[in-house]
Coordinates of all heavy atoms in Angstrom, one line a residue:
L193 N 50.1 12.9 -61.2 CA 50.6 11.9 -60.4 C 52.0 12.2 -59.9 O 52.3 11.9 -58.7 CB 50.6 10.6 -61.2 CG 49.2 10.0 -61.6 CD1 49.4 8.7 -62.5 CD2 48.4 9.7 -60.4
S194 N 52.8 12.9 -60.7 CA 54.1 13.3 -60.3 C 54.0 14.3 -59.1 O 54.8 14.3 -58.2 CB 54.8 13.9 -61.5 OG 56.1 14.4 -61.1
S195 N 53.0 15.2 -59.2 CA 52.9 16.2 -58.2 C 52.4 15.6 -56.9 O 52.6 16.2 -55.8 CB 51.8 17.3 -58.6 OG 50.5 16.8 -58.7
L196 N 51.8 14.4 -56.9 CA 51.4 13.7 -55.7 C 52.5 12.7 -55.2 O 52.4 12.0 -54.2 CB 50.2 12.8 -56.0 CG 48.9 13.6 -56.4 CD1 47.8 12.6 -56.8 CD2 48.4 14.4 -55.1
G197 N 53.7 12.7 -55.9 CA 54.8 11.9 -55.5 C 54.7 10.4 -55.9 O 55.4 9.6 -55.3
I198 N 53.9 10.1 -56.9 CA 53.8 8.7 -57.3 C 55.1 8.3 -58.0 O 55.5 8.9 -58.9 CB 52.6 8.5 -58.3 CG1 51.3 9.0 -57.6 CG2 52.5 7.1 -58.7 CD1 50.9 8.3 -56.3
P199 N 55.7 7.2 -57.5 CA 57.0 6.8 -58.1 C 56.9 6.5 -59.6 O 56.0 5.9 -60.1 CB 57.3 5.5 -57.3 CG 56.6 5.6 -56.0 CD 55.3 6.3 -56.4
G200 N 57.8 7.1 -60.3 CA 57.9 6.8 -61.8 C 57.1 7.8 -62.6 O 57.3 7.8 -63.8
A201 N 56.2 8.5 -62.0 CA 55.3 9.3 -62.8 C 56.0 10.5 -63.5 O 55.8 10.9 -64.6 CB 54.1 9.9 -61.9
S202 N 57.0 11.1 -62.7 CA 57.8 12.2 -63.3 C 58.5 11.8 -64.5 O 58.6 12.5 -65.5 CB 58.7 12.7 -62.3 OG 59.5 13.8 -62.8
L203 N 59.1 10.5 -64.5 CA 59.9 10.1 -65.6 C 59.0 9.8 -66.8 O 59.3 10.2 -68.0 CB 60.6 8.7 -65.3 CG 61.4 8.0 -66.4 CD1 62.4 9.0 -67.0 CD2 62.0 6.8 -65.9
I204 N 57.8 9.2 -66.6 CA 56.8 8.9 -67.6 C 56.3 10.2 -68.2 O 56.2 10.3 -69.4 CB 55.7 8.1 -67.1 CG1 56.1 6.7 -66.7 CG2 54.6 7.9 -68.2 CD1 55.1 5.8 -66.0
E205 N 56.2 11.2 -67.4 CA 55.7 12.5 -67.9 C 56.7 13.1 -68.9 O 56.4 13.6 -70.0 CB 55.5 13.6 -66.7 CG 55.0 14.9 -67.2 CD 55.2 16.0 -66.1 OE1 55.7 15.6 -65.0 OE2 55.0 17.1 -66.4
K206 N 58.0 13.1 -68.5 CA 59.1 13.6 -69.3 C 59.2 12.8 -70.7 O 59.3 13.4 -71.7 CB 60.4 13.6 -68.6 CG 60.5 14.5 -67.4 CD 61.8 14.4 -66.7 CE 61.9 15.3 -65.5 NZ 63.1 15.1 -64.7
L207 N 59.0 11.5 -70.6 CA 59.1 10.7 -71.8 C 57.9 10.9 -72.7 O 58.0 10.9 -73.9 CB 59.2 9.2 -71.4 CG 60.5 8.8 -70.7 CD1 60.4 7.3 -70.3 CD2 61.7 9.0 -71.6
S208 N 56.7 11.1 -72.0 CA 55.5 11.3 -72.9 C 55.5 12.6 -73.6 O 54.9 12.7 -74.7 CB 54.3 11.2 -71.9 OG 54.2 12.4 -71.1
K209 N 56.2 13.6 -73.1 CA 56.3 14.9 -73.8 C 56.9 14.8 -75.1 O 56.7 15.6 -76.0 CB 57.0 15.9 -72.9 CG 56.2 16.5 -71.7 CD 56.9 17.5 -70.9 CE 56.1 18.1 -69.8 NZ 56.8 19.1 -69.0
K210 N 57.8 13.8 -75.2 CA 58.5 13.6 -76.5 C 57.8 12.6 -77.4 O 58.4 12.2 -78.5 CB 60.0 13.1 -76.2 CG 60.7 14.1 -75.3 CD 62.1 13.5 -74.9 CE 62.8 14.5 -74.0 NZ 64.2 13.9 -73.6
S211 N 56.7 12.1 -77.0 CA 56.0 11.1 -77.8 C 54.7 11.6 -78.3 O 54.0 12.5 -77.7 CB 55.8 9.9 -76.9 OG 55.0 8.9 -77.4
F212 N 54.2 10.9 -79.3 CA 52.9 11.3 -79.9 C 51.7 10.9 -78.9 O 50.6 11.4 -79.1 CB 52.6 10.5 -81.2 CG 52.5 9.0 -81.1 CD1 51.3 8.4 -81.0 CD2 53.7 8.2 -81.1 CE1 51.2 7.1 -80.9 CE2 53.6 6.8 -81.0 CZ 52.4 6.3 -80.9
I213 N 52.0 10.1 -77.9 CA 50.9 9.7 -77.0 C 50.6 10.8 -76.0 O 49.6 10.6 -75.2 CB 51.2 8.4 -76.3 CG1 52.4 8.6 -75.2 CG2 51.7 7.2 -77.2 CD1 52.6 7.4 -74.3
S214 N 51.4 11.9 -75.9 CA 51.3 12.8 -74.8 C 49.9 13.5 -74.8 O 49.4 13.8 -73.8 CB 52.3 13.9 -75.0 OG 52.2 14.6 -76.2
K215 N 49.3 13.6 -76.0 CA 48.0 14.3 -76.1 C 46.9 13.3 -76.2 O 45.7 13.8 -76.4 CB 48.0 15.2 -77.4 CG 49.1 16.3 -77.4 CD 49.1 17.2 -76.1 CE 50.2 18.2 -76.1 NZ 50.2 19.0 -74.9
W216 N 47.1 12.0 -76.1 CA 46.0 11.0 -76.0 C 45.1 11.4 -74.9 O 45.6 11.7 -73.8 CB 46.6 9.7 -76.0 CG 47.1 9.1 -77.2 CD1 47.2 9.7 -78.5 CD2 47.6 7.7 -77.4 NE1 47.7 8.9 -79.4 CE2 48.0 7.6 -78.8 CE3 47.7 6.6 -76.6 CZ2 48.4 6.5 -79.3 CZ3 48.2 5.5 -77.2 CH2 48.6 5.4 -78.5
L217 N 43.8 11.2 -75.1 CA 42.9 11.5 -74.0 C 42.4 10.3 -73.4 O 42.0 9.3 -74.0 CB 41.7 12.4 -74.5 CG 42.1 13.8 -75.1 CD1 40.9 14.5 -75.6 CD2 42.8 14.6 -74.1
V218 N 42.3 10.3 -72.0 CA 41.9 9.2 -71.2 C 40.6 9.5 -70.5 O 40.5 10.6 -69.9 CB 43.0 8.8 -70.1 CG1 42.5 7.7 -69.3 CG2 44.3 8.5 -70.8
P219 N 39.5 8.7 -70.7 CA 38.3 9.0 -70.0 C 38.4 8.7 -68.5 O 38.9 7.6 -68.2 CB 37.2 8.1 -70.8 CG 38.0 7.0 -71.3 CD 39.4 7.6 -71.6
V220 N 37.9 9.6 -67.7 CA 37.9 9.3 -66.2 C 36.4 9.4 -65.8 O 35.8 10.5 -65.8 CB 38.7 10.3 -65.5 CG1 38.6 10.1 -64.0 CG2 40.2 10.3 -66.0
D221 N 35.9 8.3 -65.3 CA 34.4 8.2 -64.9 C 34.3 7.1 -63.9 O 34.1 6.0 -64.3 CB 33.6 8.1 -66.2 CG 32.1 8.2 -65.9 OD1 31.7 8.3 -64.7 OD2 31.3 8.1 -66.8
F222 N 34.3 7.5 -62.6 CA 34.1 6.5 -61.6 C 32.7 6.6 -61.1 O 32.3 5.9 -60.1 CB 35.1 6.8 -60.4 CG 36.5 6.6 -60.8 CD1 37.4 7.7 -60.8 CD2 37.0 5.3 -61.1 CE1 38.7 7.5 -61.2 CE2 38.3 5.1 -61.4 CZ 39.2 6.2 -61.5
G223 N 31.8 7.4 -61.7 CA 30.5 7.6 -61.3 C 30.3 8.5 -60.1 O 29.1 8.8 -59.7
D224 N 31.4 9.1 -59.6 CA 31.3 10.0 -58.5 C 30.9 11.4 -58.9 O 30.5 12.3 -58.1 CB 32.5 10.0 -57.6 CG 33.8 10.4 -58.5 OD1 33.9 9.8 -59.6 OD2 34.6 11.2 -58.0
M225 N 31.2 11.8 -60.2 CA 30.8 13.1 -60.7 C 29.5 12.9 -61.5 O 29.5 12.0 -62.3 CB 31.9 13.6 -61.6 CG 33.3 13.7 -60.9 SD 33.3 15.0 -59.6 CE 33.0 16.5 -60.6
E226 N 28.6 13.8 -61.2 CA 27.3 13.6 -61.9 C 26.7 14.9 -62.4 O 27.1 16.0 -61.9 CB 26.2 13.0 -60.9 CG 26.5 11.6 -60.5 CD 25.4 11.0 -59.7 OE1 24.8 11.7 -58.8 OE2 25.1 9.8 -59.9
T227 N 26.0 14.8 -63.5 CA 25.3 16.0 -64.1 C 23.8 15.9 -63.7 O 23.2 14.9 -63.9 CB 25.5 15.9 -65.6 OG1 26.8 15.9 -66.0 CG2 24.8 17.2 -66.3
Y228 N 23.3 17.1 -63.3 CA 21.9 17.2 -63.0 C 21.3 18.2 -63.9 O 21.7 19.3 -64.1 CB 21.7 17.7 -61.5 CG 22.2 16.8 -60.4 CD1 23.6 16.7 -60.2 CD2 21.3 16.0 -59.8 CE1 24.1 15.8 -59.2 CE2 21.8 15.1 -58.8 CZ 23.2 15.0 -58.5 OH 23.6 14.1 -57.5
V229 N 20.2 17.7 -64.6 CA 19.4 18.6 -65.5 C 18.1 18.9 -64.8 O 17.4 18.0 -64.4 CB 19.2 17.9 -66.8 CG1 18.5 18.9 -67.8 CG2 20.5 17.5 -67.5
C230 N 17.8 20.2 -64.6 CA 16.7 20.6 -63.8 C 15.8 21.6 -64.5 O 16.3 22.5 -65.2 CB 17.2 21.2 -62.4 SG 18.6 20.4 -61.7
K231 N 14.5 21.5 -64.4 CA 13.6 22.3 -65.0 C 13.0 23.3 -64.0 O 12.6 23.0 -62.9 CB 12.5 21.6 -65.7 CG 11.5 22.5 -66.5 CD 10.5 21.6 -67.3 CE 9.6 20.9 -66.4 NZ 8.5 20.1 -67.1
K232 N 12.9 24.6 -64.4 CA 12.3 25.6 -63.5 C 10.8 25.4 -63.5 O 10.1 25.2 -64.5 CB 12.6 27.0 -64.1 CG 11.9 28.1 -63.4 CD 12.2 29.5 -64.0 CE 11.4 30.6 -63.3 NZ 11.8 32.0 -63.7
I233 N 10.3 25.4 -62.3 CA 8.8 25.2 -62.1 C 8.3 26.3 -61.3 O 9.0 27.1 -60.6 CB 8.5 23.9 -61.4 CG1 9.2 23.8 -60.1 CG2 8.8 22.7 -62.3 CD1 8.9 22.5 -59.3
D234 N 7.0 26.6 -61.3 CA 6.4 27.6 -60.5 C 6.5 27.3 -59.0 O 6.2 26.1 -58.6 CB 4.9 27.8 -60.9 CG 4.8 28.4 -62.3 OD1 5.7 29.0 -62.8 OD2 3.7 28.1 -62.9
K235 N 6.9 28.2 -58.2 CA 7.0 28.0 -56.8 C 5.7 27.9 -56.2 O 4.7 28.7 -56.6 CB 7.9 29.1 -56.1 CG 9.3 29.1 -56.6 CD 10.1 30.1 -55.8 CE 11.6 30.1 -56.3 NZ 12.4 31.2 -55.6
A236 N 5.5 27.1 -55.2 CA 4.2 26.9 -54.5 C 3.9 28.2 -53.7 O 4.8 28.8 -53.2 CB 4.3 25.7 -53.6

Side-chain angles (χ1 to χ4, degrees):
L193 292 178
S194 176
S195 68
L196 293 172
I198 303 300
S202 180
L203 176 60
I204 297 175
E205 180 197 357
K206 292 177 182 177
L207 293 173
S208 70
K209 286 183 177 181
K210 302 176 182 179
S211 169
F212 66 94
I213 72 168
S214 64
K215 302 304 179 185
W216 281 5
L217 296 181
V218 179
V220 179
D221 186 356
F222 296 111
D224 57 314
M225 302 294 294
E226 293 188 319
T227 302
Y228 295 80
V229 183
C230 322
K231 183 174 68 174
K232 176 179 176 176
I233 57 177
D234 293 333
K235 293 182 180 179

